[in-house]
Amino acid sequence: MIEKINDISELSSWDKRDIFSVRILALIEAYGTSYPFALFYAQRFEGKITAILSKLDNDYTLSVAGGYDEEEIAHFLIVTGYSSVLCSSDVNLFSKYDEGIIMQSRKKIEFSLENATVDEYPKLMDLYNFIDYNSQDFKAWYVDISHRIRHGSAKAYTLNKDERVISSGILSSIIEGYAVLSAVRTENEFRGMGYGSMLVSYICNDVNGIVYLMRDEGMNESFYQRIGFEDTGRWRMYR
């Protein structure tokens, strides 16, 4: 049975911390259960939680444990409607999807910032313009990321040189020493000079436990491997 979560304490028995659980738990930590656009669900079998889902607007994240009912989850998503569903590639829900690689790192690598500095509280407008979110409205992005940052479930970073942003990264989900890294970008003219590695290493050192990320197949594998990341699975996005 899949039921709406009305209190965060209902997830106290869920101890899985894969990239999908981290996204879900960080989201409920930031928003709680009182917002109509951020909803959370649990699938239970004989009193045990077998899957958890978050719905932000119409985009779902799904994390599953042993004994989950795949057919019930697919039916639930069809009935409620969805724009996208992010989950492990082990979960087979529908026929249309994209896939990519999950990486993780718990390594803390020594590095030097040399003549650059890190800003842990950058202006979000500057960060939005630097990352260049072509398909996302600034107001919606700003409201969401600033809310997460205020509640400690996200953090933004920029690497600056001569008062100019040259690299950026966001921990878009943070919970209990786990984090999800996203929006990593280095200005074209500064690529291949070690600045991106500096910033990502700095970010990883700022996290007590594991840092996860998702990347597309064949993209940036050697970059992340050099700074301690390894492939650990595959993500799947149903649309």
Side-chain angles (χ1 to χ4, degrees):
M1 179 180 296
I2 297 177
E3 298 178 322
K4 183 175 177 290
I5 295 170
N6 295 308
D7 190 279
I8 192 172
S9 63
E10 296 177 41
L11 292 176
S12 59
S13 63
W14 182 267
D15 57 6
K16 190 170 185 178
R17 294 297 182 268
D18 63 350
I19 186 173
F20 311 107
S21 292
V22 171
R23 284 172 56 96
I24 295 167
L25 296 174
L27 188 64
I28 197 170
E29 184 73 22
Y31 283 102
T33 58
S34 60
Y35 289 92
F37 57 83
L39 302 176
F40 305 88
Y41 301 91
Q43 182 188 65
R44 292 181 173 86
F45 180 72
E46 296 182 348
K48 178 185 176 182
I49 298 178
T50 54
I52 59 174
L53 303 96
S54 66
K55 179 184 180 184
L56 184 62
D57 295 323
N58 213 33
D59 296 314
Y60 282 88
T61 300
L62 165 67
S63 181
V64 300
Y68 74 97
D69 188 330
E70 197 169 78
E71 184 176 345
E72 182 184 47
I73 293 171
H75 178 72
F76 169 81
L77 292 166
I78 291 171
V79 171
T80 58
Y82 65 92
S83 296
S84 67
V85 182
L86 176 66
C87 59
S88 168
S89 64
D90 296 331
V91 181
N92 298 298
L93 298 174
F94 312 113
S95 59
K96 295 181 179 180
Y97 56 82
D98 299 317
E99 274 194 13
I101 308 298
I102 300 168
M103 303 188 81
Q104 72 173 50
S105 176
R106 60 169 68 247
K107 294 182 179 179
K108 312 304 177 189
I109 297 176
E110 293 185 8
F111 64 96
S112 172
L113 291 175
E114 297 178 359
N115 56 348
T117 59
V118 173
D119 186 351
E120 296 187 11
Y121 303 95
K123 295 179 180 179
L124 292 183
M125 174 61 86
D126 292 343
L127 185 59
Y128 177 86
N129 290 335
F130 180 76
I131 296 171
D132 191 20
Y133 287 99
N134 292 322
S135 60
Q136 189 164 7
D137 174 69
F138 170 74
K139 183 177 179 180
W141 177 86
Y142 177 86
V143 169
D144 180 44
I145 195 66
S146 61
H147 183 90
R148 293 177 189 235
I149 289 172
R150 288 198 306 274
H151 287 80
S153 64
K155 191 171 182 179
Y157 306 78
T158 58
L159 187 71
N160 306 316
K161 180 179 172 64
D162 298 327
E163 300 184 355
R164 174 184 174 185
V165 176
I166 62 172
S167 190
S168 69
I170 297 176
L171 294 176
S172 53
S173 301
I174 304 171
I175 189 80
E176 299 170 354
Y178 297 84
V180 179
L181 178 64
S182 60
V184 176
R185 179 180 180 273
T186 299
E187 191 74 84
N188 290 342
E189 66 186 272
F190 292 97
R191 292 180 183 176
M193 302 170 67
Y195 290 111
S197 298
M198 289 179 201
L199 182 61
V200 174
S201 296
Y202 181 99
I203 294 171
C204 289
N205 286 344
D206 203 29
V207 176
N208 292 329
I210 293 176
V211 178
Y212 293 103
L213 61 85
M214 299 190 306
R215 64 174 178 83
D216 292 331
E217 187 84 52
M219 295 291 290
N220 302 318
E221 180 177 13
S222 60
F223 169 80
Y224 286 112
Q225 286 178 339
R226 286 197 303 271
I227 48 181
F229 283 84
E230 58 184 4
D231 295 349
T232 57
R234 299 183 67 85
W235 57 265
R236 180 173 288 181
M237 178 77 79
Y238 292 97
R239 300 186 186 277

